[in-house]
Amino acid sequence: MNENIPENLSPEECAGKIFEISGVRFEPEIAADLWEKILQHKWLLSEKVGRDVGFRTACIDFVENMEQALDEYMTYQRRDILIEMGAQKIGREIWDTISDSQPPKQLVRRRIILPLTEEHISTKHGVTPPKSIIFFGPPGTGKTHFVKAIAGVLSWWYVEIAPSMLMEEGTEKVGANLRRIMGKARKLEEAVIFIDEFDELAGCRDNADRLDKSITNEFLKQVPLFKNEAKKVLLVCATNYIRQLDPALLRPGRFDCIIPVGGLNDDERKTILQYYLSRLNTGEIDIERIVKETSRFTPADIQYLFEQVAQFAFEHEIVEKEDHKVTTETIFQILPKVRPSMTDEILEEFERDSDTYARV
Ligand SMILES: Nc1ncnc2c1ncn2[C@@H]1O[C@H](COP(=O)(O)OP(=O)(O)OP(=O)(O)O)[C@@H](O)[C@H]1O
Ligand SMILES: [Mg+2]
């Protein structure tokens, strides 16, 4: 069937057309929004029955079964957004391999995971799960790892927005891109939206140029919109430089939790060391000695150390042509080649930032 579906209608014209076909009158702004959904519904319905059903039928069917049709429309729209944003499913194992004592695991469990998974009890007690959180801390301490762990344990989508993605079309477009992407993110359900290197988008306006200021302003507008509209969606931002963020963002109301992710104590390091050791071909290992000698190591340093150890063992076996087991001595041989990232200065700065900014 060939039919002319009018394009570029004004909201009033959309309302008029929908009324003419279905007999139901909508406010012009709502009708304009419905127009696009009816077109999508026409496509869906045609796919279902295997022929073009035409605009009239789609319009009548949409209006008669509006609730269900809207649900279907949203499901399709979400699917498209998830594809466009490169959403990933993350397994539960990341969460399980983080030591229970590693901050902020217990905090995240109490404040974020439990209120979302024990919905009935949280509603009963009037507990509202956080919708927007910031992780801050030195590089390599596990911020991104935590965000993935949250998505994994909730079985939600993991969607990462890198500031570089927003800057692809030049800095002038960042504000508009941010608005567009956040608008899409708000429509998702069961998704963790992660903005890494968040300071690049929301730096302090006092020492910013005009363009940076407008990006920060846009971000300030987007956070409350996100919190008001989005349903089961968690916005997580991460930064190494919490003190560079605009103070207006850090005030209560915008972000529900501001969570420090810092150094590891012996127990926490031990769990991570054991995790990486379990992936090697090991012989005799004195874990306590390794724990002692890695006191300033971040998770990223530990990961790097074990990559080096694995390569070393692999090359030895190739040359020696016999089973090569990694021992404590192997690790001590490689250890001097890995410089720990945590210094007194970084730790002191982090402690100060935690005292000033943390809100949990
Ligand atoms: N608890 C953990 N167990 C095992 N590996 C971990 C753990 N935490 C982090 N890692 C690993 O350490 C590396 C660094 O972690 P991550 O990328 O999360 O740090 P980050 O704080 O986001 O760093 P940056 O500030 O540079 O973005 C990653 O490869 C991650 O997989
Ligand atoms: Mg990171």
Side-chain angles (χ1 to χ4, degrees):
M1 193 195 324
N2 251 341
E3 61 181 341
N4 273 335
I5 302 166
E7 284 176 25
N8 302 326
L9 295 184
S10 68
E12 287 73 21
E13 286 168 325
C14 290
K17 271 270 169 225
I18 296 174
F19 175 65
E20 187 188 310
I21 298 172
S22 69
V24 181
R25 198 178 287 285
F26 292 98
E27 290 295 320
E29 290 307 323
I30 295 173
D33 189 36
L34 289 181
W35 190 262
E36 190 196 330
K37 297 181 170 68
I38 293 169
L39 287 174
Q40 175 80 19
H41 188 63
K42 172 178 173 298
W43 179 82
L44 272 174
L45 214 54
S46 305
E47 285 287 302
K48 263 191 204 162
V49 299
R51 67 180 164 78
D52 188 349
V53 296
F55 187 77
R56 276 190 78 79
T57 309
C59 183
I60 293 166
D61 191 73
F62 185 91
V63 174
E64 276 179 3
N65 305 291
M66 189 123 112
E67 211 167 300
Q68 195 194 341
L70 275 175
D71 271 357
E72 277 184 30
Y73 171 81
M74 285 311 290
T75 307
Y76 268 82
Q77 207 186 27
R78 275 188 208 115
R79 196 199 55 176
D80 285 350
I81 296 173
L82 287 169
I83 294 171
E84 188 193 327
M85 295 178 97
Q88 301 170 39
K89 275 280 175 196
I90 307 277
R92 215 203 127 88
E93 61 283 357
I94 296 195
W95 177 262
D96 293 335
T97 54
I98 301 176
S99 154
D100 282 341
S101 66
Q102 183 179 337
K105 188 174 184 183
Q106 289 308 331
L107 175 74
V108 167
R109 191 170 166 272
R110 270 195 313 111
R111 290 283 277 121
I112 299 163
I113 311 298
L114 286 177
L116 286 164
T117 49
E118 303 288 341
E119 237 179 317
H120 176 67
I121 308 179
S122 62
T123 313
K124 180 174 149 189
H125 290 282
V127 168
T128 318
K131 284 199 150 178
S132 51
I133 60 178
I134 296 178
F135 282 129
F136 74 90
T141 47
K143 297 177 292 298
T144 305
H145 198 73
F146 255 104
V147 186
K148 289 188 174 165
I150 294 171
V153 75
L154 288 172
S155 248
W156 284 12
W157 290 100
Y158 171 79
V159 180
E160 189 166 332
I161 302 174
S164 55
M165 262 161 69
L166 304 173
M167 288 170 192
E168 265 166 16
E169 299 159 85
T171 35
E172 295 79 23
K173 294 274 174 68
V174 176
N177 283 344
L178 183 65
R179 198 160 43 242
R180 184 175 52 81
I181 288 195
M182 292 294 278
K184 289 187 176 191
R186 289 204 295 274
K187 295 199 173 106
L188 294 176
E189 257 198 76
E190 304 205 330
V192 173
I193 312 293
F194 177 43
I195 306 185
D196 209 354
E197 294 156 38
F198 168 55
D199 40 281
E200 288 190 22
L201 294 179
C204 182
R205 285 169 294 176
D206 288 349
N207 36 29
D209 64 23
R210 194 185 52 79
L211 200 64
D212 279 355
K213 256 183 214 162
S214 74
I215 298 169
T216 302
N217 278 334
E218 186 56 50
F219 206 91
L220 282 165
K221 275 190 243 157
Q222 289 299 324
V223 180
L225 281 180
F226 190 92
K227 289 178 70 178
N228 290 342
E229 278 181 43
K231 293 184 196 89
K232 283 191 160 180
V233 188
L234 179 67
L235 174 68
V236 189
C237 299
T239 179
N240 299 139
Y241 310 104
I242 187 81
R243 57 179 80 171
Q244 286 180 16
L245 297 183
D246 194 272
L249 267 167
L250 301 173
R251 277 202 287 273
R254 285 216 162 78
F255 282 89
D256 301 315
C257 302
I258 301 179
I259 304 175
V261 185
L264 301 163
N265 70 21
D266 287 358
D267 270 353
E268 293 143 20
R269 229 164 40 251
K270 189 170 170 180
T271 312
I272 299 181
L273 288 165
Q274 278 166 334
Y275 166 74
Y276 285 108
L277 276 166
S278 72
R279 299 168 15 155
L280 298 181
N281 182 40
T282 45
E284 206 185 310
I285 295 286
D286 182 348
I287 186 78
E288 299 305 333
R289 259 184 83 198
I290 306 171
V291 169
K292 231 173 105 202
E293 293 301 319
T294 51
S295 62
R296 294 292 168 96
F297 276 48
T298 61
D301 298 332
I302 296 175
Q303 188 190 32
Y304 179 66
L305 167 69
F306 282 97
E307 275 167 16
Q308 299 298 308
V309 171
Q311 182 68 26
F312 178 87
F314 164 74
E315 286 177 11
H316 266 257
E317 179 149 344
I318 295 276
V319 173
E320 292 158 6
K321 297 190 175 52
E322 61 180 40
D323 182 40
H324 187 94
K325 291 212 184 312
V326 170
T327 63
T328 313
E329 293 323 310
T330 328
I331 292 167
F332 276 90
Q333 213 173 323
I334 307 288
L335 209 54
K337 296 182 187 151
V338 184
R339 209 177 315 116
S341 301
M342 286 296 192
T343 60
D344 284 344
E345 204 185 344
I346 293 176
L347 280 169
E348 275 165 27
E349 209 168 280
F350 174 71
E351 290 304 324
R352 269 201 305 275
D353 284 348
S354 299
D355 287 345
T356 315
Y357 298 104
R359 177 152 41 77
V360 293

